[in-house]
Amino acid sequence: MKLLAPLLLALSLLSDSSYGQEAAAGESTTKHEYQSDVARLRKIVIESLYSHREVFLRELISNANDAIEKLRLTALKDKTIWDGSAPLNITLQLIKGEEGSDGKLIISDTGIGMTPQELKTNLGTLAKSGTSEFLAKAEESKTSTGNGNLIGAFGLGFYSSFLVADKVYVASVPPATPANPNPVQHIFSSSADDASFEVYQDPRGNTLGRGTEITLVLKKDALEYLEEEKIKNLVAKHSGFASSFPVYLHTTKVEEQPIPQDDLDTSAEEDTPKSEDEDEAVVEDAPEKVENTEVKTRSVTVEEWVHLNDQPPLWSRDPKDVTDEEYKNFYKATFKQYQDPVLWHHFKGDSGPVSFRALIFVPESL
């Protein structure tokens, strides 16, 4: 699916803007030690909490969706942060290294964004409410089978990044407001084995306009997440219903396209040798033209943004057109579960002038 120009302008820039995220030489950086509970949490996540590390993508897309939803709701009271027309979306970019032995996965959103202080608070510390309960459950889950759900349930999905990444960069900038008309884009950076993180001004400048960009420098054993089909399947499996905003994947493919006749004529003229004596007129019989019906082609790399979650909401469809597998996938993605529901009921109701459709699921355990 090809995107219109206004939407393309809203999407994150590729290539050069995806690199150079290390602090510039001489640039002031602030190093912080992780809060002790965060350090414990990251250790649990990386070592043993998730049995299916592919859920990192579900968690990060869910967070991006929340950031956009927060922007939309905040804009109901403050129209200056979003005019209602600028696109709201999530984008995924896969950047392979030249040697094929490394690569980056970039998840961007056009949501509310974060200030430097919010980067530190949201990613480097945990709210006290529920922290002890979470850690107790996490420690308990290290020896159980029901451990695929905890981080999502406690709203801490960012830390699942370290399941697949050696290093994570989070670039973010909040929307301009009368109080802060020129917000500055900052970066949070941390490695999987670091006990600290850094927050500093982005040396690339403001490349986002508004929102957040998470760059995962993938581990050697996680390069499968640079394959387009793998990402498409994961989004369909985990996030097809989890985001109410469009999710786009940047793709490339090689196509054989016909060479325009003008290019062929120009090439033929360049290949024709010139006479040494241009003043000497030579009269020759013109050769008969041979009709050439062969169409010459050339390989062209085509870049395209593909809309991954273009299905209408499950509850708005006719139950006859929804498969059991779709119901199960919807349940797992929405409620962050790995077990199938015991049963479900999809129905339409009327209450006076208001009609509605609903889905009720019964979980295997409470």
Side-chain angles (χ1 to χ4, degrees):
M1 168 182 179
K2 303 232 176 165
L3 302 184
L4 300 177
L7 183 53
L8 282 172
L9 291 175
L11 297 175
S12 301
L13 299 175
L14 289 172
S15 61
D16 293 342
S17 67
S18 300
Y19 296 91
Q21 297 183 69
E22 294 288 354
E27 183 71 28
S28 174
T29 64
T30 306
K31 180 169 283 191
H32 307 274
E33 294 295 319
Y34 276 112
Q35 184 186 31
S36 60
D37 284 342
V38 175
R40 289 173 59 199
L41 169 64
R42 292 172 74 248
K43 181 177 171 65
I44 294 170
V45 169
I46 296 169
E47 293 183 356
S48 58
L49 183 59
Y50 275 122
S51 56
H52 300 81
R53 66 178 184 172
E54 65 185 33
V55 298
F56 82 92
L57 190 60
R58 178 194 74 187
E59 298 298 340
L60 295 183
I61 290 178
S62 178
N63 286 353
N65 182 82
D66 292 344
I68 300 175
E69 186 65 27
K70 184 176 180 180
L71 174 80
R72 190 182 67 81
L73 293 175
T74 305
L76 295 176
K77 292 184 177 181
D78 184 0
K79 298 292 185 183
T80 62
I81 68 169
W82 182 56
D83 60 8
S85 62
L88 302 177
N89 52 65
I90 300 166
T91 63
L92 307 174
Q93 303 167 22
L94 313 176
I95 301 179
K96 296 182 179 180
E98 293 182 2
E99 302 297 327
S101 59
D102 60 351
K104 300 179 180 181
L105 193 161
I106 303 174
I107 301 100
S108 307
D109 67 68
T110 56
I112 195 69
M114 290 178 279
T115 65
Q117 183 58 42
E118 287 172 332
L119 283 171
K120 176 186 174 183
T121 302
N122 295 343
L123 305 183
T125 61
L126 294 177
K128 290 298 181 184
S129 175
T131 300
S132 299
E133 180 188 358
F134 171 81
L135 288 170
K137 287 182 177 292
E139 293 283 3
E140 179 183 340
S141 293
K142 290 169 68 174
T143 56
S144 69
T145 57
N147 58 2
N149 171 45
L150 282 179
I151 285 193
F154 279 80
L156 305 170
F158 167 72
Y159 300 107
S160 64
S161 303
F162 295 103
L163 291 169
V164 296
D166 282 324
K167 188 156 190 176
V168 177
Y169 298 93
V170 182
S172 195
V173 60
T177 62
N180 184 17
N182 298 300
V184 178
Q185 186 168 309
H186 281 73
I187 286 180
F188 166 102
S189 72
S190 183
S191 298
D193 54 356
D194 278 353
S196 61
F197 62 91
E198 290 183 323
V199 176
Y200 50 87
Q201 187 171 329
D202 195 331
R204 303 169 301 173
N206 187 347
T207 61
L208 299 175
R210 181 197 70 239
T212 300
E213 171 194 86
I214 300 178
T215 300
L216 308 181
V217 181
L218 295 176
K219 297 178 179 179
K220 299 293 184 184
D221 63 350
L223 298 182
E224 61 185 299
Y225 298 108
L226 294 176
E227 301 302 325
E228 292 177 2
E229 287 304 314
K230 176 77 172 180
I231 296 300
K232 289 178 182 178
N233 291 337
L234 286 180
V235 171
K237 177 181 179 182
H238 292 300
S239 304
F241 313 105
S243 176
S244 52
F245 302 98
V247 179
Y248 295 101
L249 173 66
H250 181 263
T251 64
T252 59
K253 59 182 177 181
V254 177
E255 292 183 350
E256 292 296 321
Q257 297 183 355
I259 302 176
Q261 188 60 44
D262 291 345
D263 291 354
L264 290 173
D265 294 341
T266 301
S267 178
E269 289 176 5
E270 293 174 350
D271 293 340
T272 303
K274 294 184 178 180
S275 172
E276 294 181 0
D277 187 359
E278 293 182 355
D279 294 333
E280 182 180 350
V282 179
V283 179
E284 296 181 357
D285 293 335
E288 293 183 5
K289 291 185 177 180
V290 179
E291 194 71 27
N292 184 6
T293 58
E294 181 183 355
V295 178
K296 294 187 176 181
T297 62
R298 59 187 171 192
S299 298
V300 177
T301 300
V302 178
E303 297 186 7
E304 188 172 46
W305 288 97
V306 178
H307 190 180
L308 299 183
N309 59 337
D310 54 357
Q311 283 277 353
L314 195 73
W315 57 87
S316 68
R317 294 162 56 187
D318 190 323
K320 296 177 183 178
D321 299 328
V322 185
T323 66
D324 288 353
E325 195 64 28
E326 287 179 306
Y327 282 122
K328 293 175 183 178
N329 288 339
F330 174 80
Y331 170 79
K332 292 175 183 177
T334 303
F335 301 104
K336 304 185 189 309
Q337 298 290 326
Y338 273 98
Q339 298 174 328
D340 292 336
V342 175
L343 55 89
W344 58 86
H345 184 42
H346 186 179
F347 62 96
K348 181 179 179 180
D350 293 289
S351 177
V354 179
S355 63
F356 62 91
R357 292 179 181 270
L359 262 172
I360 296 177
F361 290 94
V362 178
E364 185 171 296
S365 60
L366 295 175

